Amino acid sequence: MTRLLVLNGPNLNLLGKREPGIYGQGTLKDAVDLVKETAEEHEAEADAYQSNHEGDLVDAIQQAEGKYDGIIFNPAAYTHTSIALRDAISAVDVPVVEVHISNVHQRESFRQHSMLAPVCKGQVVGLGLIGYRLAALALLESFEGRR
Ligand code: DHK
């Protein structure tokens, strides 16, 4: 069975109460549930992991090899800084779709560059929590050879 990992970085455990004008009212569980529902619609499964720690996220990406077919990843602030996460994504043979809830291109200039985008399959940016569903759909349909 196809397996997805939905991986979330720092401060995303606070979704729902964190800057709701930027990130909305939805919680991390809502985001994970969207991916799980999308996976089920495609007879696939999804697991979720969130960490506030860069090394834990590196470990999760390394451990995904051979266990997951794709990763939906919101690296949060590490998007803009992390060579370690970029190298981890490059090191594994697992496609990663980068997700941002907010439209980072409308925000501070330091959010407008992603260290990770060049090594990801694609990005979904600025569409709120539905971006997690769209990222899952893109991966699942690519596995099915439909897109
Ligand atoms: C989430 C964060 O925590 C920020 O550090 C990023 C991203 C944007 C998001 O929109 O999901 O800059």
Side-chain angles (χ1 to χ4, degrees), residues 65-88:
E65 179 103 67
K67 189 169 175 199
Y68 294 103
D69 301 287
I71 301 174
I72 296 131
F73 189 19
N74 186 341
Y78 290 134
T79 306
H80 317 297
T81 62
S82 182
I83 298 169
L85 286 171
R86 179 183 173 130
D87 287 351

Side-chain angles (χ1 to χ4, degrees), residues 11-31:
N11 301 304
L12 294 171
N13 53 311
L14 301 180
L15 281 178
K17 58 183 172 181
R18 173 195 184 200
E19 299 183 88
I22 295 174
Y23 297 106
Q25 309 278 350
T27 64
L28 182 59
K29 182 178 183 303
D30 293 333

Side-chain angles (χ1 to χ4, degrees), residues 10-12 18 23 74 76-77 80 99-102 104 107 111:
N11 301 304
L12 294 171
R18 173 195 184 200
Y23 297 106
N74 186 341
H80 317 297
V99 174
H100 299 292
I101 298 163
S102 66
V104 287
R107 300 181 63 193
R111 295 187 201 277

